[in-house]
Amino acid sequence: MKSLLWFILTAMMLAGSALALFYLQTNLFFALLWMLIFAAVLTAVSHRLPSSSRMIVCAAILLGGVWYLYNDTLLQLISAHINSNPYGDYILSQFEFRLSLSIFILKIIKNSWLTDSRLLICGILMLIHLFICRRLIRLLYDRLPGRLFEFCVTALAHMKIDIGHYLASSVALALLNSALWCLAGFLLQFDNFILMMFIMFICAFIPRIGLFIAALLSLLFVESGLFLIQIGGLLIAVALIWFVDHILLQDQQQNRTHLPATLLLLLLPASYAAAMFLDLFIPLPADHPFLAFFLAAPVASISAIASRTMQKYASLIHKIPRQTRNG
């Protein structure tokens, strides 16, 4: 019961802070999100290649410059290949769900795209993270009471490592799985294989079952005339991608959060249903149920890491005497 209470409080604080920042300043929200992902990936890469730190920084600056020059063209190219109009003979409910999902993915791409202004904000936040945050944290630690000092140092350090592992492994899975899924959709002649690629990319942040959730959502875009060929090809593609993930990214997957798969299977539809129920009392945009569906697992995973870490080291507040900080 105590663990559940820690988890609920952490999830509410995290979701509330994210929603407040999203509605107050959208560019800052997405720039901060990109910065956290970049920081996690760079940290994971630098630990594996400690002698190539300067090379990584130079490559990041070079890629940022190239992205600054070509990001508008790339966004227009991707948008032109996403068709939000469904094809085939479907019942009305499936027609509406498929159309709504297509529009939602397209809006996510456009709203979260790393534009020039967000790239600049992200770079500033990265410099602050690298050169200023550590000094500010040390000043804050020096002013903490002795009983809180050891807890904050230990808990935040482990929390940073675990969340970084989760983000880095999710990004690696997202890039690999979405590229393979896009190739499979192209070979199977899906009209919306670009959209399917982004569904797979987003679902990669769902631990354990993200690949299968993306495959189920992709079934909505199977055409009636090519049903057997396309659905058979999707099943083969899922098996191959799972095998490649297991071989290439086994170490990274072990570092991800250990939320039970049954909890995730219940959490995803429950979050979608909760957003639909809330819409009965508070008018919300039509894409909020999808937003709740895709964000439920990442928020729950980070909340589980934070709550488990704080609960694990909470005893340090009572065990560490005041004098040990200076000793």
Side-chain angles (χ1 to χ4, degrees):
M1 182 61 68
K2 187 176 181 180
S3 301
L4 180 60
L5 182 61
W6 276 90
F7 173 75
I8 294 175
L9 292 177
T10 306
M12 291 177 62
M13 292 176 59
L14 182 62
S17 302
L19 288 175
L21 183 59
F22 175 79
Y23 284 108
L24 290 176
Q25 181 51 257
T26 305
N27 287 331
L28 180 60
F29 172 81
F30 284 110
L32 179 62
L33 185 62
W34 280 108
M35 188 276 293
L36 292 175
I37 292 176
F38 289 153
V41 173
L42 289 176
T43 301
V45 173
S46 62
H47 284 172
R48 292 177 177 272
L49 301 173
S51 60
S52 305
S53 300
R54 293 184 178 180
M55 186 182 299
I56 294 173
V57 174
C58 294
I61 296 175
L62 180 62
L63 290 175
V66 173
W67 186 268
Y68 181 84
L69 294 175
Y70 293 102
N71 77 82
D72 291 336
T73 305
L74 183 59
L75 177 59
Q76 294 176 1
L77 179 64
I78 291 175
S79 301
H81 286 81
I82 293 180
N83 185 3
S84 60
N85 295 321
Y87 297 95
D89 186 13
Y90 295 100
I91 59 175
L92 183 60
S93 60
Q94 186 174 355
F95 179 95
E96 293 178 351
F97 187 85
R98 179 179 174 180
L99 179 62
S100 301
L101 178 61
S102 303
I103 295 174
F104 168 75
I105 297 296
L106 184 59
K107 289 178 64 177
I108 284 294
I109 295 172
K110 291 185 175 181
N111 291 335
S112 62
W113 194 259
L114 189 59
T115 59
D116 297 341
S117 58
R118 292 176 185 174
L119 179 61
L120 179 61
I121 297 174
C122 181
I124 295 173
L125 292 175
M126 183 65 71
L127 292 176
I128 294 174
H129 169 71
L130 293 176
F131 300 105
I132 299 178
C133 282
R134 293 181 181 179
R135 297 180 180 179
L136 292 177
I137 291 174
R138 288 178 182 176
L139 291 175
L140 178 62
Y141 284 164
D142 290 338
R143 287 162 175 77
L144 285 176
R147 292 181 178 273
L148 293 176
F149 175 78
E150 191 72 18
F151 167 76
C152 292
V153 172
T154 306
L156 291 179
H158 285 83
M159 198 182 302
K160 179 181 177 181
I161 292 173
D162 292 341
I163 293 177
H165 284 165
Y166 163 71
L167 292 176
S169 62
S170 297
V171 171
L173 278 175
L175 294 175
L176 178 61
N177 291 359
S178 60
L180 295 176
W181 199 240
C182 179
L183 178 62
F186 174 75
L187 295 177
L188 293 171
Q189 300 181 4
F190 280 89
D191 295 307
N192 273 310
F193 65 93
I194 296 293
L195 188 145
M196 292 168 55
M197 177 187 72
F198 280 98
I199 292 177
M200 180 63 71
F201 187 92
I202 296 174
C203 290
F205 290 84
I206 304 175
R208 298 188 177 186
I209 61 173
L211 172 63
F212 308 104
I213 295 298
L216 289 175
L217 293 177
S218 298
L219 289 178
L220 295 171
F221 301 95
V222 175
E223 306 301 338
S224 57
L226 302 173
F227 181 79
L228 293 179
I229 297 176
Q230 289 185 337
I231 197 171
L234 285 183
L235 292 176
I236 296 174
V238 169
L240 291 176
I241 292 174
W242 180 87
F243 179 76
V244 172
D245 290 346
H246 183 72
I247 296 299
L248 298 181
L249 302 175
Q250 184 176 6
D251 295 336
Q252 286 85 343
Q253 289 179 340
Q254 291 176 355
N255 293 325
R256 307 186 85 195
T257 57
H258 297 287
L259 288 175
T262 53
L263 176 61
L264 291 172
L265 287 174
L266 294 175
L267 181 63
L268 297 179
S271 60
Y272 182 87
M276 293 288 290
F277 179 76
L278 186 61
D279 187 47
L280 298 175
F281 304 95
I282 303 175
L284 297 174
D287 55 358
H288 269 54
F290 290 108
L291 186 64
F293 179 87
F294 287 110
L295 287 182
V299 170
S301 300
I302 296 176
S303 300
I305 292 173
S307 60
R308 184 173 62 245
T309 304
M310 288 188 293
Q311 184 183 8
K312 181 178 179 180
Y313 297 103
S315 59
L316 293 176
I317 300 177
H318 306 288
K319 291 183 179 181
I320 299 300
R322 182 182 300 271
Q323 291 80 2
T324 56
R325 186 177 66 173
N326 298 324

